[in-house]
């Protein structure tokens, strides 16, 4: 039995209360409990986190890099979704 | 390796190509991304040689981190105070962590963890030659922190901007941690240097032995470095070996003065015109000998690594058995 038999986990760390969990990296572990402990030792040795999520890498569905352009294209031609699109007379406040 | 490939999850699986017509377009996109200083991510198309170069470099880097634990761990039980012992344990643990960040980065390129360890254990992949030197006295722990970690930092800071995203991100994390490594080593040497004459002599002896091997850590001179030009073009590397070596020398000279220690090079002197320190010729025969396996500790390091791996087998097996049993009972309950 080798390490390869241990599945890969993605680690997400909340650095402090009020912030969302952010992807920190990945690691191998035999089960979720070990993955959590390993993640603590690997990614929070200096108090970098107050909460950890571990997710089996195989459970993640990702968008395909091949379809990157058509997939995200619909957002590209809609500048009116940004506040800077609108012209407001000078002097108008709180807008 | 088939098992590793089969285990790859979809989002980390490397793009494996689908014919030349499509590839030409992908190659243009890759070149454009590198030219624009964007990062290449795991599922992007990349040239085979780019992937192979990264795997070789990241693997060698990961192996260096974990082999590098040995010379320092040698002194943990004999640290002169509880403070120094706690510091050294934390540092050695960090190096294990660095190895893990880097193995993860290498795995995003489609090479499994056990394949990498196999190649280390069988000598098919290398680790930094510096770790084939022995740690003879407690002062060596200080010299390693100051010089070896110092040289590593000089090498690694530019790698934080490497074109391959996962490698660059691992380096950012590592560089943050390295600065403690270097400072604890410097502080340790300073304490010895200001101590009894015997302690001072011990610190000087350690610096005398580690100085030249540390300069060799930057690799062969630019005109003999095989992979440099291509790596620079791909923005894996940002500076040449000699450039980084010079930067390191310039940083170390004043630091040595503050330590009250000398560097073992009679040719070391400030060059007003260049704005750099001139330094003596490096003994590259020694470098190539150690690389070939003839250093003082090559045999010992790899034997110890293999033994640690084999002796840990039962722990890995037990954990996997526990996990399997746990998921079975979970399944029946569900
Ligand atoms: Fe390190
Ligand atoms: Fe270090």
């Amino acid at each position: 039995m080798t390490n390869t038999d241990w599945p890969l986990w993605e680690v997400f760390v909340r650095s402090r209360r009020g912030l969302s969990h952010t992807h920190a990296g990945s690691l191998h572990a035999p089960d979720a409990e070990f993955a959590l402990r390993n993640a603590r030792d690997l990614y929070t040795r200096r108090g970098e986190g107050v909460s950890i999520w571990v997710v089996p890498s195989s459970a993640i569905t990702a968008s395909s890099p091949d379809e990157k352009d058509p997939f995200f294209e619909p957002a590209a031609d809609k500048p009116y979704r940004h506040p800077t699109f609108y012209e407001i007379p000078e002097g108008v406040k709180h807008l | 390796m088939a098992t590793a490939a089969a285990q790859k999850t979809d989002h980390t699986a490397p793009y494996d190509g689908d014919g030349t017509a499509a590839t030409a377009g992908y190659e243009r996109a890759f070149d454009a991304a590198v030219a624009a200083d964007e990062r290449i991510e795991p599922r992007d198309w990349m040239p085979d040689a780019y992937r192979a170069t990264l795997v070789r470099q990241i693997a060698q880097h990961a192996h260096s981190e974990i082999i590098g634990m040995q010379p320092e761990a040698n002194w943990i039980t004999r640290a002169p105070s509880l403070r120094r012992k706690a510091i050294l344990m934390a540092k050695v643990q960090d190096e294990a962590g660095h190895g893990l960040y880097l193995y993860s980065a290498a795995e995003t390129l489609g090479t499994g963890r056990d394949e990498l360890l196999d190649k280390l254990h069988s000598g098919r992949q290398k680790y930094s030659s510096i770790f084939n030197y022995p740690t003879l006295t407690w002062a060596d722990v200080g010299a390693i922190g100051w010089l070896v970690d110092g040289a590593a930092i000089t090498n690694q800071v530019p790698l934080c901007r490497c074109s391959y995203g996962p490698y660059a991100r691992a380096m950012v994390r590592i560089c943050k941690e390295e600065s403690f490594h270097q400072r604890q080593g410097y502080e340790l040497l300073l304490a010895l240097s200001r101590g009894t004459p015997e302690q001072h002599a011990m610190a000087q002896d350690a610096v005398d032995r580690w100085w030249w091997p540390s300069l060799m850590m930057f690799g062969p001179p630019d005109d003999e470095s095989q992979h440099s030009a291509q790596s620079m073009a791909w923005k894996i590397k940002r500076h040449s070996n000699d450039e980084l070596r010079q930067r390191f020398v310039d940083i170390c000279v004043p630091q040595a003065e503050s330590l009250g220690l000398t560097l073992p090079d009679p040719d070391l002197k400030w060059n007003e015109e260049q704005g750099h320190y001139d330094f003596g010729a490096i003994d590259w025969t020694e470098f190539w000998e150690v690389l070939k396996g003839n250093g003082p500790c090559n045999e010992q390091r790899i034997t110890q690594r293999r033994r640690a791996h084999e002796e840990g087998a039962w722990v890995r097996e037990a954990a996997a058995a526990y996990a399997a049993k746990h998921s079975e009972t979970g399944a029946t309950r569900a």
Side-chain angles (χ1 to χ4, degrees):
Chain A
M1 170 126 352
T2 65
N3 217 8
T4 318
D5 297 311
W6 288 7
L8 193 63
W9 301 77
E10 301 300 325
V11 179
F12 298 82
V13 175
R14 183 201 295 287
S15 57
R16 51 190 170 79
R17 303 179 68 83
L19 296 179
S20 40
H21 289 75
T22 312
H23 186 238
S26 56
L27 50 76
H28 287 274
D31 59 25
E33 207 176 311
F34 266 110
L36 267 183
R37 283 177 178 273
N38 291 354
R40 180 204 55 190
D41 292 345
L42 193 55
Y43 292 108
T44 63
R45 287 197 299 283
R46 289 173 175 77
E48 293 96 331
V50 294
S51 162
I52 300 175
W53 290 346
V54 290
V55 182
S57 305
S58 58
I60 292 177
T61 307
S63 62
S64 152
D66 289 350
E67 291 163 10
K68 187 176 70 186
D69 292 341
F71 193 73
F72 294 106
E73 212 157 67
D77 60 354
K78 296 177 182 60
Y80 45 84
R81 283 177 172 164
H82 299 275
T84 47
F85 180 76
Y86 302 92
E87 272 178 45
I88 304 294
E90 239 171 85
V92 178
K93 287 180 182 161
H94 307 300
L95 199 70
Chain B
M1 178 167 282
T3 52
Q7 240 221 341
K8 273 282 147 213
T9 58
D10 186 48
H11 82 287
T12 53
Y15 180 80
D16 55 6
D18 63 352
T20 43
T23 304
Y26 288 129
E27 190 156 14
R28 269 197 302 279
F30 172 86
D31 291 342
V34 170
D37 253 334
E38 280 178 24
R39 296 293 175 263
I40 305 300
E41 294 295 344
R43 293 187 72 208
D44 292 338
W45 182 91
M46 61 188 87
D48 290 343
Y50 177 81
R51 184 186 303 279
T53 298
L54 279 169
V55 169
R56 193 191 58 242
Q57 180 173 335
I58 300 173
Q60 175 167 335
H61 197 158
H63 299 331
S64 302
E65 299 285 354
I66 64 165
I67 294 286
M69 297 165 74
Q70 292 183 34
E72 292 185 281
N74 178 35
W75 282 94
I76 289 178
T77 56
R78 294 172 289 166
S81 68
L82 192 54
R83 176 178 183 270
R84 293 286 176 199
K85 186 174 186 163
I87 291 169
L88 186 54
M89 284 200 297
K91 181 189 190 274
V92 172
Q93 192 192 8
D94 271 356
E95 305 300 4
H98 297 174
L100 291 174
Y101 306 151
L102 289 161
Y103 283 123
S104 290
E107 280 180 287
T108 64
L109 292 158
T111 309
R113 182 81 48 107
D114 61 343
E115 183 181 342
L116 294 170
L117 287 177
D118 256 11
K119 286 187 171 159
L120 168 63
H121 296 157
S122 61
R124 280 174 295 157
Q125 279 175 346
K126 302 212 174 305
Y127 55 88
S128 174
S129 283
I130 192 79
F131 301 116
N132 290 317
Y133 291 88
T135 39
L136 302 179
T137 71
W138 168 250
D140 288 32
V141 172
I144 289 180
W146 176 41
L147 296 173
V148 176
D149 288 87
I153 292 171
T154 308
N155 258 329
Q156 289 168 359
V157 166
L159 286 173
C160 296
R161 293 185 299 126
C162 162
S163 60
Y164 187 57
Y167 191 27
R169 291 192 285 277
M171 291 322 306
V172 169
R173 196 172 272 281
I174 288 175
C175 284
K176 272 189 203 154
E177 301 183 352
E178 286 296 348
S179 108
F180 132 62
H181 297 181
Q182 195 187 19
R183 287 174 69 114
Q184 64 83 33
Y186 193 84
E187 190 207 65
L188 193 166
L189 280 180
L190 190 65
L192 290 175
S193 178
R194 290 178 177 172
T196 65
E198 289 83 1
Q199 287 173 325
H200 181 89
M202 189 196 268
Q204 184 62 61
D205 168 65
V207 169
D208 288 347
R209 281 181 290 108
W210 288 94
W211 173 248
W212 290 106
S214 299
L215 293 191
M216 295 176 199
M217 283 175 70
F218 296 93
D222 293 348
D223 46 16
E224 283 169 47
S225 178
Q226 288 175 24
H227 309 291
S228 274
Q230 182 59 74
S231 285
M232 302 264 272
W234 278 328
K235 295 187 182 169
I236 294 174
K237 243 176 116 113
R238 298 278 182 164
H239 307 279
S240 79
N241 295 354
D242 287 332
E243 223 179 309
L244 292 168
R245 188 166 14 245
Q246 182 68 59
R247 187 179 294 178
F248 179 67
V249 170
D250 290 345
I251 289 170
C252 285
V253 175
Q255 290 179 346
E257 279 166 19
S258 300
L259 276 177
L261 298 172
T262 58
L263 296 171
D265 179 358
D267 298 325
L268 200 59
K269 61 170 187 298
W270 178 249
N271 183 326
E272 190 67 57
E273 208 174 299
Q274 303 283 328
H276 290 295
Y277 283 92
D278 288 334
F279 55 96
I282 293 172
D283 179 5
W284 290 108
T285 340
E286 174 181 324
F287 174 79
W288 294 116
E289 277 305 304
V290 179
L291 201 68
K292 264 191 271 168
N294 303 324
C297 301
N298 297 58
E299 188 63 39
Q300 181 189 335
R301 298 289 183 243
I302 211 68
T303 306
Q304 166 65 18
R305 174 88 267 285
R306 279 198 215 110
R307 193 194 311 134
H309 189 70
E310 282 156 20
E311 287 176 358
W314 72 270
V315 180
R316 295 191 294 276
E317 279 163 25
Y322 177 82
K325 194 174 163 192
H326 209 69
S327 69
E328 263 168 44
T329 51
T332 40
R333 238 185 281 131

